[in-house]
């Protein structure tokens, strides 16, 4: 600690680049004056969120002082989110969010993009300097951890946290919090649970209570988790994360009405969250509460306007609402707007599914059938990627309902092949077959699809075990092409590539192939322990640690869109 | 969940929005006011460097100092009113305790008070363990201490002392002055502020009521292992005048 304190004086705040975003000219002048007193020479100013974004796109600032309340257009939080997602600020940059009063956002728990610190007006030079120094020191402590995190080497990042804890007592709690997050990412909920319990012995931090309850919820201790979320809310009514989680706990118990109630409260407390409004809308739709669903989806579209979290789901939800209100014309208009604004095969496919659902629900079976036929034609095009599992399930259900048979059977077999060891999902497939009055046929189809996948996997394992590594690699490429979403095949594929690298030493092409496979599996099923283990093995093989993984990860993201951060 | 409280927010989102934007405006004005005054005060030479007898100072400088003092009082009241509106002490309040460095706390309080104290010729002393770490809501505790200092300005002769020390299971923060001490009515109000049975009285008494109420609620929100924070007003202490004491578990 003492060493840290002494190093304060060494930070040269004068040489940094600053951006001030505030709609009030008096405040901009005042802040500029304060920064000049710290020796700053390079200071840019913006009067609105939009202007701020333009400057952020041009210059990499070291420090951003951004007011939360910017009048019309983007607010400070939205500017921060967009800047982070568009990679306009360096990981080392300091973002200070300035607000007029103690901000509710700062204690909400799960705002995805938190600033480095909040500062309340009036800002004096002393407070500004203390906060800048504090954030800077914290960034130093976390820089290596953040790097390993960005490289998805979660196990190493967790170990780094552990090393930092004894030397940084002031940040011990933050380091423990990060460690638990990393353990969850690495598929080690047991380890994370221990960390949360350790923290809670010290003090009742709401984030630790929520973290613990989330793990309990996934372990099947749903009722206990529910009580813990309720206790957090009783203690802090603004802890929005607890509301969102409580809703999920109710949903897991089949208590959709209760879940709906909680979501409505959460949306009232913090209405400007795209995902929350989306969940509310979808839950309301399931409960046939059309007015609430309509409000939620509309709000979702409105706030999406200025947010990078903008989602096509809101348009689909809103189209369903219009369908329920027998306004097919407006529904179709929305679906066209969605395809126009978001584009891409997946969106086009999902828009078509929603269109079919809307026609089907409004009793226009002729048009519903036509949508079904069009979907079938889209699926026949082999060059297109199949959508995610949930969309495939929706699509199969719809196609059966409108009387198409071959395409949905193909879809369901595709799901069975790609998830051959996921038993609950197989039950779901069986139910869809049952509903289509194809129970026995379905059972047989599921069985043979699962066997097909298992055979492919086993052949790879056999080649690998008999040390015919090159053949195993070639075979797994074939298997991957046939079953692009099968987690076991993907993991085995990466494992075999890594075995090969351990034998031959580092080969760039093979390492990149392994990383691509791993990034893909992490995108479709985050938080797997095998992912963390394989990433760590791979990182050990790389000549320069981290760099290769990071490059491949960003390459993957560039080609396939951002890996969702669940 | 306590539905009465959430009703309070559910019923009036427009009022809340309106209030938030008004507060935003007021805070901007206060920021510019106090920032400009601090700037003017630091740029007036000599007087700031060495406190000289009040009579020898230019009247203008004194007036600026008085303006800064009043602006700070306005800011204190605004913080306290807001906390009251947001129901400080209740579960709806955004309470955010984290481990903090005592050194940084003192640094920030001093940073807010320095120029005002200098301009009034008051010497500011601090005494704390630089390596100490304690868990508390920094914004709120800074608010309470700065208010206590602004309050001490009224009572002190020429010295104010901020001391922070770990006392067993508590962190004890003291703001002391070398004036004649608090009048008996003030001491009584201070004692009442911590009396849970007496909520009504805590409000009614006088202008210092709001500050005391705010401070006592902030203290009370800090809880750890069955222990609760508290405030107290005393006379005596290191400098022999009034003492404001905040104890956090």
């Amino acid at each position: 600690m003492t060493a840290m304190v002494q190093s304060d004086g060494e930070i040269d705040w004068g040489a940094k680049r600053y951006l001030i975003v505030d709609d009030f000219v008096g405040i901009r002048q005042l802040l500029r004056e304060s920064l000049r007193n710290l020796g700053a020479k390079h200071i840019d100013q913006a009067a609105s969120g939009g202007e701020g974004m333009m400057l952020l796109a041009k210059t990499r600032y070291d420090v951003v002082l951004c007011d939360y309340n910017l009048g019309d257009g983007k607010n400070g939080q939205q500017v921060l989110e967009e800047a982070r997602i568009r990679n306009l600020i360096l990981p080392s940059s300091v973002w200070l969010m300035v607000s007029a009063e103690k901000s509710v956002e700062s204690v909400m728990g799960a705002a995805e993009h938190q600033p480095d610190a909040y500062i309340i007006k009036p800002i004096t030079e002393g407070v500004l300097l203390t906060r800048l120094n504090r954030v800077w020191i914290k960034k130093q402590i976390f820089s290596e951890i953040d790097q390993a995190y960005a490289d998805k080497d979660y196990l190493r990042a967790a170990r780094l946290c552990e090393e930092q804890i004894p030397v940084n007592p002031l940040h011990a709690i933050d380091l423990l919090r990060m460690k638990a997050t990393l353990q969850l990412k690495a598929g080690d909920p047991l380890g994370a649970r221990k960390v949360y319990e350790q923290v809670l012995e010290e003090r009742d931090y709401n984030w630790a209570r929520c973290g613990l309850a989330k793990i309990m919820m996934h372990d099947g201790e749903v009722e206990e988790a529910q009580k813990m979320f309720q206790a957090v809310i009783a203690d802090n009514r603004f802890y929005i994360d607890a509301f969102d989680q409580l809703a999920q706990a109710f949903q897991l118990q089949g208590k959709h009405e209760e879940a709906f109630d909680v979501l409505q409260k959460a949306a009232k407390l913090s209405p400007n969250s795209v995902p929350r409004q989306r969940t509310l809308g979808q839950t309301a739709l399931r409960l046939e509460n059309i007015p609430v669903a309509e409000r939620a989806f509309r709000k979702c579209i409105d706030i999406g306007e200025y947010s990078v979290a903008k989602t096509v789901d809101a348009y689909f939800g809103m189209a369903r609402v219009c369908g329920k209100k027998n306004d097919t014309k407006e529904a179709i208009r929305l679906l066209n707007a969605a395809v126009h604004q978001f584009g891409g095969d997946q969106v086009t496919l999902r828009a078509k599914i929603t269109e079919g659902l809307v026609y089907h629900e409004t009793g226009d079976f002729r048009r519903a059938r036509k949508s079904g036929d069009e979907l079938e034609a889209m699926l026949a095009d082999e060059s297109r990627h199949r959508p995610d599992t949930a969309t495939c399930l929706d699509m199969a259900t719809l196609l059966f309902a409108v009387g198409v048979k071959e395409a949905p059977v193909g879809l369901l077999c595709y799901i069975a092949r790609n998830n051959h060891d996921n038993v609950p999902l197989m039950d779901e497939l069986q139910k869809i077959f049952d509903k289509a009055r194809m129970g026995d046929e379905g059972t047989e189809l599921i069985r043979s699809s699962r066997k097909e996948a298992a055979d492919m996997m086993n052949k790879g394992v056999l080649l690998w075990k008999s040390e015919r590594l090159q053949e195993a690699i070639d075979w797994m490429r074939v298997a991957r092409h046939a079953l692009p979403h099968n987690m076991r095949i993907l993991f085995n594929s990466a494992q075999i590539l890594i075995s090969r690298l351990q034998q031959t030493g580092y080969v760039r092409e093979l390492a990149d192939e392994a990383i691509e496979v791993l990034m893909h599996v992490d995108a479709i099923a985050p938080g797997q322990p095998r992912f963390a283990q394989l990433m760590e093995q791979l990182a050990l093989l790389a000549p320069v640690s981290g760099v290769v993984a990071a490059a491949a990860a960003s390459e993957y993201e560039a080609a396939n869109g951002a890996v969702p951060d669940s | 969940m306590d539905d009465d409280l959430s009703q309070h927010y559910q019923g009036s989102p427009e009022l809340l929005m309106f209030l938030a934007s008004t507060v935003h405006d007021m805070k901007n004005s206060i920021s510019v006011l106090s920032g400009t005054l601090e700037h003017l005060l630091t740029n007036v030479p000599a007087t700031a460097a060495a406190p000289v007898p009040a009579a020898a100072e230019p009247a203008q400088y004194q007036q600026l100092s008085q303006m800064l003092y009043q602006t700070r009082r306005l800011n204190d009241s605004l913080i306290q009113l807001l906390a009251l509106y947001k129901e400080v002490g209740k579960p709806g309040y955004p309470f955010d305790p984290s481990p903090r460095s005592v050194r940084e706390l003192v640094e920030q309080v001093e940073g807010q008070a320095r120029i005002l104290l200098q301009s009034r010729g008051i010497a500011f002393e601090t005494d704390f363990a630089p390596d100490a770490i304690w868990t508390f809501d920094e914004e709120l505790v800074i608010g309470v201490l700065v208010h206590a200092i602004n309050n001490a300005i009224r009572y002190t002769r020429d010295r104010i002392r901020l001391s922070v020390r770990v006392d067993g299971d508590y962190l004890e923060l003291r703001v002391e002055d070398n004036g004649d001490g608090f009048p008996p009515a003030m001491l009584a109000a201070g004692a009442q502020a911590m009396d849970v049975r007496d909520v009504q009285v805590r409000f009614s008494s006088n202008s210092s009521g709001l500050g005391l109420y705010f401070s006592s609620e902030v203290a009370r929100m800090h809880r750890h292992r069955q222990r609760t924070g508290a405030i107290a007003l005393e006379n005596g202490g290191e400098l022999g005048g009034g003492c404001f004491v905040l104890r956090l578990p």
Side-chain angles (χ1 to χ4, degrees):
Chain A
M1 219 20 240
T2 354
M4 284 297 176
V5 173
Q6 281 160 357
S7 73
D8 276 14
E10 290 164 22
I11 303 166
D12 181 8
W13 293 111
K16 309 252 180 268
R17 287 163 177 268
Y18 295 82
L19 173 65
I20 299 168
V21 188
D22 199 304
D23 57 339
F24 191 42
V25 61
I27 296 290
R28 292 201 299 276
Q29 283 169 349
L30 201 67
L31 285 174
R32 195 186 50 198
E33 203 54 47
S34 297
L35 291 174
R36 281 195 180 148
N37 288 342
L38 298 182
K41 283 163 214 77
H42 187 121
I43 306 169
D44 286 341
Q45 301 176 47
S48 71
E51 205 182 314
M53 283 313 307
M54 264 161 40
L55 290 169
L56 281 160
K58 266 190 269 172
T59 307
R60 296 291 173 266
Y61 294 98
D62 300 301
V63 180
V64 180
L65 291 165
C66 180
D67 195 87
Y68 180 81
N69 194 335
L70 291 170
D72 299 332
K74 284 179 202 300
N75 66 30
Q77 181 65 29
Q78 288 164 332
V79 176
L80 168 63
E81 279 171 19
E82 189 171 336
R84 285 252 170 90
I85 291 180
R86 287 175 57 193
N87 260 323
L88 299 180
I89 38 177
L90 302 164
S92 60
S93 317
V94 174
W95 191 291
L96 298 184
M97 195 73 86
V98 181
S99 61
E101 48 172 333
K102 206 161 170 0
S103 116
V104 167
E105 284 73 19
S106 63
V107 291
M108 278 197 172
E112 213 182 314
H113 295 278
Q114 290 275 3
D116 294 303
Y118 287 91
I119 295 199
I120 297 180
K121 290 176 182 175
I123 300 171
T124 56
E125 261 165 63
V127 172
L128 185 60
L129 188 61
T130 304
R131 297 293 167 91
L132 283 174
N133 282 328
R134 178 194 292 174
V135 171
W136 195 263
I137 289 166
K138 188 172 170 192
K139 290 220 173 228
Q140 300 308 114
I141 296 170
F142 276 83
S143 67
E144 214 184 333
I145 297 165
D146 288 341
Q147 185 58 55
Y149 191 161
D151 289 347
K152 295 185 188 276
D153 191 351
Y154 301 133
L155 295 175
R156 191 171 87 90
R159 268 200 314 279
L160 288 170
C161 286
E162 205 145 322
E163 286 165 19
Q164 289 285 348
I165 289 168
V167 277
N168 290 293
L170 185 58
H171 296 95
I173 291 290
D174 289 328
L175 287 161
L176 283 168
R177 186 177 186 173
M178 176 59 107
K179 186 181 159 197
T181 306
L182 288 162
Q183 283 172 315
L184 282 175
K185 289 254 174 207
D188 179 15
L190 211 68
R193 188 174 180 147
K194 276 192 201 126
V195 172
Y196 288 135
E197 281 165 349
Q198 178 196 340
V199 168
L200 287 172
E201 271 183 24
E202 200 46 50
R203 211 171 262 265
D204 271 341
Y205 287 106
N206 284 325
W207 56 265
R209 287 205 276 178
C210 269
L212 179 59
K214 265 186 246 184
I215 294 171
M216 288 164 67
M217 182 162 74
H218 289 296
D219 282 355
E221 302 167 52
V222 182
E223 240 171 279
E224 290 82 352
Q226 174 203 317
K227 282 186 193 128
M228 211 176 262
F229 293 130
Q230 281 167 326
V232 171
I233 293 170
D235 199 43
N236 184 338
R237 198 180 309 283
F238 283 107
Y239 209 84
I240 290 292
D241 188 31
F243 283 83
D244 292 340
Q245 300 299 328
L246 179 61
Q248 210 192 330
F250 279 131
Q251 242 145 15
L252 284 173
Q253 298 172 75
K255 297 178 178 170
H256 297 289
E257 299 278 351
E258 283 90 338
F260 176 66
D261 207 44
V262 172
L263 283 170
Q264 266 193 304
K265 280 195 178 120
K268 257 174 196 146
L269 281 174
S270 168
N272 293 324
S273 152
V274 170
R276 182 166 309 113
Q277 293 289 354
R278 176 183 56 196
T279 314
L280 175 62
Q282 287 166 344
T283 312
L285 199 59
R286 191 177 306 133
L287 293 171
E288 301 273 331
N289 188 334
I290 306 306
V292 173
E294 179 168 2
R295 259 203 313 279
F297 286 129
R298 205 172 286 278
K299 179 86 189 170
C300 198
I301 292 172
D302 283 351
I303 44 182
E305 187 86 16
Y306 292 113
S307 164
V308 276
K310 183 173 179 166
T311 169
V312 72
D313 293 351
Y315 289 80
F316 293 147
M318 198 62 204
R320 294 287 305 278
V321 166
C322 292
K324 298 265 182 200
K325 292 165 73 185
N326 257 319
D327 187 355
T328 31
K329 218 174 126 196
E330 176 65 7
I332 302 305
R333 192 194 66 77
L334 278 161
L335 291 174
N336 287 335
V339 172
H340 179 72
Q341 284 190 35
F342 293 87
D345 284 355
Q346 300 273 335
V347 171
T348 313
L349 205 63
R350 289 183 59 201
K352 205 33 97 180
I353 299 170
T354 313
E355 182 191 288
L357 275 173
V358 168
Y359 283 135
H360 191 68
E361 275 173 356
T362 49
D364 189 344
F365 299 116
R366 194 182 56 81
R367 283 212 174 84
R369 174 67 202 229
K370 188 166 162 279
S371 307
D373 290 342
E374 283 168 17
L375 269 177
E376 199 177 9
M378 287 162 113
L379 283 174
D381 185 353
E382 289 282 332
S383 67
R384 295 188 185 206
H385 279 293
R386 289 274 185 280
D388 58 76
T389 305
T391 311
C392 281
L393 287 174
D394 282 350
M395 189 158 34
T397 312
L398 171 76
L399 288 171
F400 274 137
V402 300
V404 180
K405 198 180 153 195
E406 227 170 275
V409 167
L411 273 175
L412 294 179
C413 289
Y414 172 82
I415 297 175
R417 281 198 305 276
N418 276 290
N419 301 277
H420 72 283
D421 52 0
N422 184 342
V423 178
L425 186 60
M426 295 305 124
D427 291 344
E428 234 175 290
L429 298 182
Q430 184 64 48
K431 272 187 202 139
I432 297 175
F433 275 123
D434 290 349
K435 224 176 144 194
R437 303 218 175 87
M438 298 181 58
D440 293 342
E441 210 182 331
T443 312
E444 178 50 31
L445 283 166
I446 292 174
R447 196 197 59 77
S448 62
S449 303
R450 293 176 73 183
K451 182 167 183 310
E452 196 184 317
D455 287 348
M456 286 195 118
M457 197 189 68
N458 289 338
K459 184 172 172 187
V461 173
L462 198 70
L463 287 169
W464 175 41
K465 290 238 164 100
S466 49
E467 295 289 319
R468 287 148 73 185
L469 279 185
Q470 192 51 53
E471 278 172 73
I473 289 174
D474 291 339
W475 173 250
M476 291 316 283
R477 285 184 187 137
V478 175
R480 241 157 51 211
H481 186 72
L483 305 172
H485 294 311
N486 188 303
M487 236 165 57
R488 290 277 292 276
I489 293 212
L490 291 168
F491 275 135
N492 281 354
S493 201
Q495 177 76 73
I496 291 169
L497 286 163
I498 290 169
S499 297
R500 181 71 174 163
L501 285 172
Q502 282 163 346
Q503 217 175 47
T504 60
Y506 185 80
V507 181
R508 174 75 198 265
E509 287 73 27
L510 288 184
D512 283 358
E513 188 180 343
I515 287 164
E516 202 196 314
V517 172
L518 285 171
M519 288 301 141
H520 178 56
V521 75
D522 191 47
I524 56 177
Q528 300 292 325
R530 258 187 105 184
F531 172 80
Q533 288 153 12
L534 292 172
M535 279 308 280
E536 192 188 29
Q537 287 181 25
L538 206 53
L540 287 175
L541 285 164
V544 187
S545 90
V547 181
V548 178
S554 56
E555 225 169 83
Y556 176 86
E557 287 188 14
N560 298 281
V563 175
D565 200 32
S566 82
Chain B
M1 250 178 279
D2 177 353
D3 272 311
D4 287 346
L5 274 172
S6 45
Q7 283 297 329
H8 174 79
Y9 284 96
Q10 283 168 16
S12 54
E14 290 83 13
L15 177 64
L16 200 67
M17 286 285 288
F18 172 71
L19 218 88
S21 78
T22 309
V23 166
H24 179 237
D25 274 4
M26 290 169 75
K27 277 284 186 147
N28 276 344
S29 303
I30 289 183
S31 299
V32 172
L33 250 178
S34 68
T36 312
L37 288 168
E38 286 204 343
H39 183 72
L40 288 172
L41 282 166
T42 37
N43 284 358
V44 176
T47 37
V52 282
E57 291 180 328
Q60 232 181 0
Y61 183 85
Q62 286 237 319
Q63 281 165 356
L64 283 176
S65 167
Q66 181 62 15
M67 281 163 76
L68 181 59
Y69 173 61
Q70 294 301 339
T71 310
R72 286 299 165 78
R73 275 172 43 94
L74 256 175
N75 189 53
D76 280 357
S77 299
L78 189 57
I79 290 176
Q80 291 158 8
L81 275 174
L82 258 175
L84 200 67
Y85 178 78
K86 286 196 164 177
E87 302 185 299
V88 64
K90 300 269 172 53
Y93 193 81
F95 183 59
D96 179 28
S98 310
R100 297 294 182 195
S101 138
V102 165
R103 177 183 58 83
E104 286 178 0
L105 173 72
V106 172
E107 227 171 69
Q108 292 178 80
V109 171
E110 188 172 13
Q112 287 203 29
R114 192 173 46 92
I115 294 174
L116 175 62
L117 292 175
Q118 258 175 19
S119 75
R120 297 182 74 95
I122 297 168
F124 187 62
E125 303 152 26
T126 59
D127 178 23
F128 59 95
D131 289 336
I133 295 169
W134 206 259
T135 301
F136 51 87
D137 185 311
E138 189 179 43
E139 265 343 312
L140 286 177
V141 170
I142 291 177
V144 167
L145 292 177
V146 168
H147 175 64
I149 291 171
N150 290 346
N151 209 40
I153 289 176
R154 210 180 330 167
Y155 293 99
T156 189
R157 206 165 62 243
D158 56 5
R159 285 170 73 190
I160 293 178
R161 180 175 193 272
L162 169 63
S163 66
V164 186
R165 68 183 187 101
V166 177
D167 175 20
D169 292 330
Y170 288 85
L171 185 72
E172 188 179 86
L173 307 104
R174 301 178 72 93
V175 175
E176 303 173 336
D177 65 66
N178 66 345
D180 296 333
F182 294 117
M186 237 346 235
L187 291 174
Q192 248 165 18
M194 281 324 291
D195 191 341
V196 233
R197 294 160 301 174
D198 233 357
V199 187
Q200 296 306 320
V201 188
R202 277 148 65 198
F203 275 120
S204 58
S205 50
N206 50 41
S207 65
S208 57
L210 178 61
L212 277 173
Y213 176 76
F214 170 74
S215 304
S216 66
E217 285 302 321
V218 169
R220 225 189 292 270
M221 281 189 100
H222 287 85
R223 253 172 239 169
H224 184 41
R225 296 200 173 125
Q226 264 78 53
R227 289 187 292 272
T228 306
I231 58 160
L233 295 183
E234 304 166 2
N235 281 335
E238 287 274 324
L239 302 185
C243 321
F244 168 87
V245 188
L246 171 65
R247 285 166 62 82
L248 301 175

